[in-house]
Amino acid sequence: MRVLVPFRNSKKVAPYLDALRSAGAEPVPFLTEKPVELDGIAGLLLMGGTDINPARYRETPVPETDEPDDERDAIELDAINHAIEKDLPILAICRGLQLLNVYHGGTLTQHLGSPRHDVESEDKGAPAHEVQIDAGTALAKALGRTRVRVNSRHHQAVAHFGAGLVVSARDPADGTVEGMERADKRFVVGVQWHPEDQVSKQPEQLRLFQYFVEQLHS
């Protein structure tokens, strides 16, 4: 089954493609410089990257916020809209989760200022902290557990939740949102960590991609 993977930086897309292939999907990388086409596509994966323009959630940027990439924001928001309309499964990672929240009308904390969440490490898959997952959520079913050690490299996070989204995971130490989803769709799940960098060492992270791929067939 073919999964669209919009990307901006070709040097960062490989781990996402490899994780999807390991889970049995056919990734379709898509450079965000033209409108998205979802014909023949079974699902959407939103990857990490630069900060979303705060104007998208009615705020002005703080000094720590990245320069906006309005073209990428617009193309990926359009991709979310089409996937939601078609009820295609969506797996949203890091920036992807944040964009999913903004699409639904939510807001972001523009700078956490927390070394706990913005970890500098040569090993991008190294666990940084634990995440508590709500039992009965799609994320808990996908991972097969309610606690998991995750890597972490984000300086922004969900503030106010978007309409229709529920929080499925948090950092138990400080309450930072680590997972969100829509219960009324086949599979719309976002995670704040980077499971694509953990699939080779943590089986539950591979299971997340496998569960996502299973939903493409449902």
Side-chain angles (χ1 to χ4, degrees):
M1 303 291 281
R2 304 174 79 229
V3 176
L4 191 75
V5 185
F7 73 94
R8 199 59 154 174
N9 187 337
S10 60
K11 295 180 180 179
K12 294 185 177 182
V13 71
Y16 301 90
L17 306 184
D18 291 343
L20 285 169
R21 292 188 188 103
S22 295
E26 178 189 347
V28 181
F30 180 89
L31 181 61
T32 52
E33 59 180 14
K34 60 182 179 180
V36 167
E37 292 287 345
L38 292 181
D39 291 343
I41 296 296
L44 173 66
L45 184 144
L46 297 168
M47 54 182 278
T50 55
D51 299 337
I52 299 152
N53 189 340
R56 293 278 180 185
Y57 48 95
R58 304 164 301 284
E59 291 187 10
T60 57
V62 301
E64 295 85 358
T65 297
D66 296 336
E67 287 295 317
D69 185 344
D70 289 321
E71 183 178 51
R72 180 183 181 185
D73 290 352
I75 289 171
E76 292 188 351
L77 285 165
D78 189 49
I80 293 173
N81 189 57
H82 286 306
I84 292 287
E85 287 181 346
K86 292 174 176 285
D87 198 15
L88 300 182
I90 299 174
L91 177 59
I93 294 173
C94 199
R95 165 192 153 92
L97 175 146
Q98 296 168 8
L99 192 69
L100 188 68
N101 188 52
V102 170
Y103 169 83
H104 286 88
T107 66
L108 305 177
T109 299
Q110 290 189 52
H111 187 63
L112 292 172
S114 169
R116 177 178 176 84
H117 292 284
D118 195 5
V119 177
E120 295 290 339
S121 173
E122 290 187 9
D123 180 2
K124 292 184 177 180
H129 62 79
E130 193 171 54
V131 166
Q132 175 68 50
I133 302 159
D134 290 349
T137 61
L139 182 58
K141 293 175 185 176
L143 293 170
R145 57 181 62 192
T146 56
R147 282 188 176 264
V148 64
R149 297 279 295 173
V150 303
N151 56 0
S152 191
R153 53 178 190 274
H154 61 101
H155 80 109
Q156 298 193 335
V158 168
H160 296 293
F161 317 145
L165 294 176
V166 296
V167 175
S168 55
R170 290 184 182 272
D171 179 345
D174 62 15
T176 297
V177 172
E178 295 282 346
M180 300 187 82
E181 57 190 64
R182 274 189 66 164
D184 64 328
K185 293 294 181 180
R186 238 191 322 164
F187 183 89
V188 176
V189 170
V191 297
Q192 189 57 77
W193 66 93
H194 283 270
E196 76 282 358
D197 292 323
Q198 296 185 291
V199 293
S200 62
K201 296 181 180 179
Q202 291 187 254
E204 64 271 19
Q205 303 295 347
L206 177 58
R207 284 200 294 269
L208 173 58
F209 287 93
Q210 291 172 331
Y211 190 86
F212 168 58
V213 172
E214 288 173 9
Q215 308 319 301
L216 307 179
H217 300 272
S218 64

